[in-house]
Amino acid sequence: MADSIKKTAEPYHHAEIEAKWRESWKKHPVNTPGQNKKKYYCLDMFPYPSGAGLHVGHWRGYVISDVWSRFQMMNGGHYIIHPMGWDAFGLPAENYAIKTGQHPSISTAANVASIKEQVKQIGAIYDWDMELNTTDPAFYKWTQWIFVQMFKKGLAYEKEMPLNWCPSCKAVLANEEVVDGKCERCHSEVTKKNLRQWMLKITAYADRLLEGLEGLDWPEKVKKMQTEWIGRSYGAEVNFPVADAAGNASDKVITVYTTRPDTLYGATFMVLSPEHALVPEITTEEHRAEVEDYCKAAANKSNVDRVQNKDKTGVFTGAYAIDPLNKEKLPVWISDYVLADYGTGAIMCVPAHDDRDWEFAKKFDLPIIPVISPDGQDVDISEGAYTAAVGTMINSGDWNGMKSEDLKREAPGMIEKAGYGKKTTNYKLRDWVFSRQRYWGEPIPIVHCAKCGAVAVPEDQLPVVLPDVKSYQPTDTGESPLAAIDEWVNTTCPECGGPAKRETNTMPQWAGSSWYFLRYVDVNNDKALVDRAKADEFLPVDMYIGGVEHAVLHLLYARFYTKFLYDIGVVGFEEPFKKLFNQGMILGPKGVKMSKSLGNVVSPDDMIRDYGCDSLRMYELFIGPPQQDSAWDERGIDGVFRFLARFWKMVNENIGRDVPETEELVRLRHQLIHTISSRLEAFQLNTVVSGFMEFNNKFVELTQKDGVDKETLKVFVQLMAPFVPHLAEELWERLGENDSVFHSTWPVADQAAMQENTREIAVQVNGKARTVINIAVDADKDAAIAAAKEALGDRLTGTVIKEIYVPGKIVNLVVKP
RNA sequence: GCGGGUAUGGCGGAAUAGGCAGACGCAAGGGACUUAAAAUCCCUCGGGAGUGAUCUCGUGCCGGUUCAAGUCCGGCUACCCGCACCA
């Protein structure tokens, strides 16, 4: 085959070239560890092996990571960790099993096999010795092991509480999985269900998850999303004694959380959430019926209603609370705009300085007292609250005259000292609901014993293998299908040996993906999750590439797991992903998201057949900036294919011509190196491709004349290699090289060699371009102005009142008529 | 509502750091080669005026700074994304 493609005039036969080098690289891998090599770990977010296969959008991320990996291999001689695996537990495989009766492990294995074939078409340098699958017992043994460690440290615990329940998936959801009150996966409206569930105490890591973000080379958007998701705020808890209508205080106390203790004197009422424990206790007989009705209605309201209906509703309890500062008597109301599970579930209301309180006060005709005055002026609160913490305190007793911004900071400490509250930090982040009532997941390695309670399965008995079941059907009761297998459920307690039952919930899909990246470098280790020496040598991940949709799900969970594993000494670093790149989506031809139901999914398979893998790789990058969404246009690949064919022809025609170097060729060569390298380093991959095309056009032109020298051809081939590895390797061989182009060193641009002696610059008159002049780069102003005037000739009329010359850029003559 | 992003020809997109707007492609039109087609190669390709050299308008809208603005500043509009009663 190789012999048949050696003639210079022959066309670009992509299929033959690609097949040839695929075989060759299989025998002689180009990415190998070496004593003096530094590692570079470039990771893709691993795919879910569904039956639908890969489309051109998946391809894009894998092409980007492969280009980057190969660039790191050549530029710096790194040994590349570039693995691929399968995130294979989860609902689609289970739903398929329900429909067909086929075991999910069978459909999953089939899907993995077919997608793996597709992934191989990319021509990437994946190391298949590192391949892993989250459903493999040898892998999930360690997923379970981590859970056991968390359980031992008290970070995994059971709790009964109202939870997000997806009636369609028939499973609970984590807060991160609820979007707009709907299930992140199937978009069904989420309801509440009271269930006993396993929780992971991610909140124990809230501060570290927040602070760790600072040093990461991640898109600001993702960092911000995580920051807001964690939602740390500083404030105070303040105690308000409950009183009756006459003002007689009882022993009951309402504790509120506020971030604006500076406005304490402006509180004119209190609001409790309908779920607040004190509601039944403090409500007076006169208001009891009304309050009970309201609370019942609130409980039946869907999440969506409570979140989206911003109209304030509420009822008065008949009870009062005493402001600890000014001893004012504040009426206590109930409203569902106060969340039960944030802060204390109760708030003090300062309608003058909070929008929501303002609306509530207007609606129920409650007093509004301003306590902050911006610039000493009276603050206008007739149209809405004044919410900024900027101004001077008024109507605030001892605090009058203080600056609101200072007081906001100092008040929590003052309140704590005075003994009517304490300084507090609050988070929006909740603990992670970690159990699912479904079959196709990792069994939670816990045994329930009547005597000993929840007991972890001993580590030497892991993995707890997922048993076979006849029916995968989820139940409406919140019980997993595993609960029906008596012989599996009934076991003995590892502690007392008495009869016990296995935990029948499984882990959520995120369990495996929270740590898989640690396993690649030591996939066959049966003694440890990862050998510490290997972890130290090859981890963490230097570059992580994937979609932005995991900003607060997978990426937050993975950071949490890594910090925990750091704490128990498994790894020596706290942050798993040093650099993160979010590639944009490839949209369907009309600019809408590709989906099976719309029938606009474009498969790479036909394009590879017609144009070759190298063309498709390059086109995936050429279509637009990698971080931006792009609509697929199948016609565009023609342009890339034509370019590769012209490049192929250009190089082949110059091989053997033995063209001597000229100043122009050397200059173009170094300009090429500089252009490509700087764009590649800046991740401007679409303009790298344009750059290749532009330079190729110049070299094609030179080929018609005196030709292109061998060194320049070699450099061009090297620069192209990360993008079109097969084509580049073939040309590299034809240029007489014996070793792989990927073992060559990335060329370096010589700034001096790039410089031109003369340069074409624009001549403007009154800021409008009129002509161009060719002028020495180091020409002085007088020479440049003279040349410009000469070039303009008769067209320059009037009096020149100002002459501007920016060397290498422009001449502008300001003229008065 | 709050926060972030985007807006450039028929289309995708380029344009260090304020310096010739539209690179590089796609599509379209014209031509060469061919019996013909495909492939390939060459030319044209933002709007308007002019035979023409050339002139003029033009980067979502309105205004400003500057010799010079797609780029900087102020004020809008539209679309996309994230958060969304978190006190």
Side-chain angles (χ1 to χ4, degrees):
Chain A
M1 185 186 297
D3 285 338
S4 70
I5 49 173
K6 276 209 175 127
K7 289 169 289 177
T8 50
E10 118 233 34
Y12 167 44
H13 288 302
H14 56 84
E16 290 174 20
I17 295 166
E18 287 171 13
K20 170 183 168 183
W21 290 105
R22 214 179 305 256
E23 275 309 301
S24 171
W25 290 329
K26 214 182 276 173
K27 284 185 211 133
H28 312 287
V30 295
N31 179 40
T32 50
Q35 291 239 302
N36 301 321
K37 284 185 176 180
K38 281 190 286 180
K39 68 91 189 180
Y40 190 91
Y41 189 167
C42 181
L43 180 67
D44 290 293
M45 291 187 186
F46 63 164
Y48 182 86
S50 80
L54 297 182
H55 59 65
V56 291
H58 300 109
W59 248 69
R60 190 189 205 189
Y62 304 146
V63 170
I64 291 169
S65 70
D66 190 55
V67 166
W68 191 250
S69 295
R70 289 177 186 270
F71 173 54
Q72 295 301 327
M73 184 164 34
M74 295 172 76
N75 186 24
H78 295 95
Y79 166 54
I80 307 300
I81 313 287
H82 191 42
M84 180 51 76
W86 317 103
D87 186 17
F89 272 131
L91 280 180
E94 186 175 328
N95 290 339
Y96 186 76
I98 291 165
K99 214 159 55 181
T100 62
Q102 191 182 50
H103 196 279
S105 63
I106 295 178
S107 54
T108 298
N111 290 341
V112 165
S114 70
I115 291 190
K116 188 172 171 182
E117 281 315 302
Q118 279 190 300
V119 169
K120 285 187 169 177
Q121 294 295 309
I122 294 163
I125 49 164
Y126 291 122
D127 185 343
W128 292 105
D129 291 340
M130 293 180 174
E131 180 179 1
L132 59 77
N133 184 324
T134 55
T135 66
D136 179 355
F139 178 88
Y140 71 66
K141 169 182 177 173
W142 298 103
T143 311
Q144 293 174 335
W145 181 85
I146 296 170
F147 184 90
V148 169
Q149 307 313 309
M150 289 195 178
F151 178 70
K152 287 180 179 168
K153 299 275 179 196
L155 290 170
Y157 64 98
E158 283 182 285
K159 190 180 180 187
E160 176 153 342
M161 60 185 284
L163 290 164
N164 304 307
W165 174 262
C166 174
S168 162
C169 295
K170 296 185 177 177
V172 298
L173 301 176
N175 289 318
E176 290 82 358
E177 292 171 307
V178 181
V179 177
D180 283 341
K182 294 186 175 119
C183 172
E184 180 246 355
R185 173 173 288 284
C186 71
H187 311 294
S188 308
E189 197 163 295
V190 172
T191 60
K192 289 278 177 192
K193 202 175 179 107
N194 237 343
L195 286 170
R196 174 198 63 85
Q197 292 296 318
W198 283 95
M199 310 285 290
L200 295 187
K201 209 177 221 162
I202 191 171
T203 51
Y205 285 75
D207 285 320
R208 286 165 67 188
L209 286 168
L210 204 54
E211 281 140 25
L213 287 171
E214 283 164 27
L216 297 180
D217 185 4
W218 282 23
E220 284 306 315
K221 178 183 171 165
V222 176
K223 289 207 227 178
K224 190 154 198 190
M225 280 170 74
Q226 291 209 356
T227 302
E228 284 175 4
W229 190 262
I230 295 164
R232 180 165 69 187
S233 67
Y234 298 106
E237 279 182 13
V238 186
N239 300 320
F240 288 68
V242 177
D244 61 18
N248 303 311
S250 71
D251 56 351
K252 296 187 177 65
V253 168
I254 296 172
T255 304
V256 304
Y257 171 69
T258 178
T259 57
R260 292 296 303 277
D262 53 314
T263 63
L264 206 44
Y265 279 94
T268 57
F269 58 100
M270 314 280 289
V271 177
L272 307 188
S273 74
E275 294 86 357
H276 198 283
L278 279 179
V279 170
E281 295 180 35
I282 63 170
T283 302
T284 60
E285 285 314 311
E286 188 191 343
H287 293 88
R288 186 163 299 276
E290 206 187 345
V291 166
E292 280 175 1
D293 283 352
Y294 185 85
C295 293
K296 220 178 277 172
N300 289 332
K301 258 194 198 173
S302 73
N303 275 23
V304 178
D305 281 350
R306 266 182 87 155
V307 169
Q308 287 178 356
N309 181 11
K310 307 244 166 172
D311 261 356
K312 298 286 178 287
T313 60
V315 287
F316 178 48
T317 60
Y320 293 83
I322 308 294
D323 188 319
L325 260 114
N326 59 12
K327 311 298 178 198
E328 286 288 326
K329 197 179 72 175
L330 313 176
V332 179
W333 287 65
I334 294 171
S335 174
D336 61 7
Y337 84 88
V338 176
L339 304 175
D341 59 353
Y342 180 80
T344 61
I347 60 169
M348 65 170 203
C349 295
V350 186
H353 303 290
D354 181 279
D355 290 328
R356 296 148 304 183
D357 299 345
W358 186 90
E359 281 172 40
F360 196 87
K362 282 283 175 198
K363 177 145 180 187
F364 295 102
D365 204 19
L366 294 156
I368 303 178
I369 303 171
V371 290
I372 303 170
S373 162
D375 317 328
Q377 305 292 310
D378 271 353
V379 57
D380 177 16
I381 45 166
S382 58
E383 295 299 317
Y386 172 73
T387 57
V390 177
T392 307
M393 303 311 301
I394 53 169
N395 302 327
S396 292
D398 295 350
W399 292 352
N400 277 337
M402 290 182 74
K403 289 273 162 230
S404 164
E405 46 272 55
D406 298 336
L407 186 56
K408 179 175 185 254
R409 203 174 48 242
E410 289 161 17
M414 293 158 65
I415 287 165
E416 187 165 314
K417 223 181 228 172
Y420 45 80
K422 64 175 187 194
K423 213 167 157 173
T424 320
T425 305
N426 243 306
Y427 303 87
K428 294 184 191 172
L429 184 70
R430 297 297 131 79
D431 278 344
W432 179 7
V433 181
F434 196 69
S435 39
R436 296 293 180 276
Q437 300 65 50
R438 299 290 302 230
Y439 171 70
W440 191 232
E442 301 89 345
I444 290 176
I446 292 288
V447 166
H448 296 280
C449 170
K451 250 194 264 170
C452 312
V455 179
V457 173
E459 288 172 29
D460 60 9
Q461 289 173 33
L462 296 178
V464 176
V465 177
L466 184 64
D468 241 326
V469 290
K470 289 194 186 65
S471 167
Y472 309 102
Q473 208 72 39
T475 65
D476 290 313
T477 60
E479 283 245 303
S480 154
L482 292 175
I485 318 175
D486 289 340
E487 62 274 27
W488 183 80
V489 172
N490 292 316
T491 183
T492 52
C493 171
E495 262 172 35
C496 69
K501 286 182 185 299
R502 287 190 189 280
E503 170 65 50
T504 58
N505 280 312
T506 55
M507 297 188 195
Q509 186 171 1
W510 313 105
S513 60
S514 294
W515 72 277
Y516 76 108
F517 43 89
L518 305 173
R519 182 69 176 175
Y520 279 127
V521 300
D522 200 11
V523 273
N524 295 317
N525 194 339
D526 192 39
K527 300 279 181 287
L529 185 156
V530 59
D531 177 67
R532 179 61 196 262
K534 284 191 178 167
D536 288 344
E537 186 177 357
F538 298 121
L539 301 173
V541 173
D542 293 287
M543 169 67 106
Y544 198 21
I545 295 177
V548 75
E549 65 272 17
H550 294 115
V552 287
L553 288 158
H554 162 59
L555 289 171
L556 189 65
Y557 297 150
R559 294 183 58 229
F560 163 49
Y561 263 53
T562 304
K563 286 178 191 300
F564 172 71
L565 293 171
Y566 168 83
D567 287 349
I568 62 170
V570 173
V571 295
F573 50 88
E574 284 210 51
E575 288 293 339
F577 315 121
K578 288 204 261 186
K579 190 174 168 75
L580 174 71
F581 182 81
N582 293 129
Q583 89 271 17
M585 260 189 302
I586 296 278
L587 306 171
K590 284 178 190 147
V592 288
K593 196 172 170 174
M594 280 192 192
S595 80
K596 224 173 164 181
S597 57
L598 287 170
N600 61 351
V601 176
V602 182
S603 160
D605 300 354
D606 295 349
M607 306 214 139
I608 293 165
R609 191 194 57 224
D610 297 341
Y611 297 96
C613 147
D614 284 338
S615 289
L616 184 56
R617 287 169 63 102
M618 201 163 240
Y619 182 55
E620 292 268 1
L621 303 174
F622 187 55
I623 193 165
Q627 67 282 356
Q628 185 181 302
D629 292 352
S630 300
W632 188 256
D633 177 1
E634 60 178 17
R635 292 175 304 191
I637 194 173
D638 284 317
V640 170
F641 181 78
R642 285 176 200 142
F643 154 62
L644 290 181
R646 279 196 290 264
F647 175 68
W648 165 263
K649 186 163 170 251
M650 185 276 288
V651 176
N652 276 303
E653 283 178 354
N654 285 296
I655 289 176
R657 271 176 86 183
D658 207 16
V659 178
E661 273 189 0
T662 63
E663 214 175 292
E664 184 187 17
L665 284 167
V666 171
R667 189 174 62 242
L668 280 173
R669 184 200 302 158
H670 285 281
Q671 285 175 348
L672 172 66
I673 297 168
H674 174 76
T675 301
I676 300 305
S677 299
S678 58
R679 289 177 184 180
L680 185 46
E681 271 156 28
F683 235 77
Q684 293 161 354
L685 304 179
N686 56 324
T687 59
V688 170
V689 179
S690 324
F692 282 139
M693 291 172 166
E694 195 178 348
F695 276 91
N696 189 53
N697 289 343
K698 290 180 190 174
F699 289 127
V700 165
E701 208 175 299
L702 290 173
T703 304
Q704 312 305 320
K705 299 177 194 161
D706 298 331
V708 181
D709 67 290
K710 192 167 173 185
E711 183 59 26
T712 301
L713 297 174
K714 280 169 63 178
V715 161
F716 206 155
V717 168
Q718 281 180 295
L719 297 173
M720 291 272 281
F723 298 84
V724 286
H726 311 82
L727 174 61
E729 195 77 297
E730 174 68 25
L731 290 172
W732 188 247
E733 185 185 63
R734 289 175 179 225
L735 282 159
E737 297 292 328
N738 295 318
D739 198 3
S740 168
V741 67
F742 296 103
H743 293 160
S744 69
T745 304
W746 194 257
V748 178
D750 178 346
Q751 290 291 329
M754 279 168 52
Q755 297 306 320
E756 297 172 59
N757 297 330
T758 63
R759 192 152 178 182
E760 202 169 69
I761 66 170
V763 175
Q764 298 182 335
V765 176
N766 290 338
K768 287 180 185 175
R770 282 293 173 263
T771 187
V772 291
I773 51 172
N774 222 326
I775 191 168
V777 178
D778 55 1
D780 64 12
K781 184 171 177 178
D782 290 346
I785 300 295
K789 283 181 176 167
E790 193 189 332
L792 286 166
D794 297 345
R795 291 160 62 195
L796 184 65
T797 54
T799 320
V800 176
I801 55 171
K802 194 166 185 178
E803 294 166 338
I804 287 137
Y805 170 55
V806 183
K809 301 248 161 130
I810 208 152
V811 170
N812 188 15
L813 302 177
V814 184
V815 170
K816 212 164 68 180

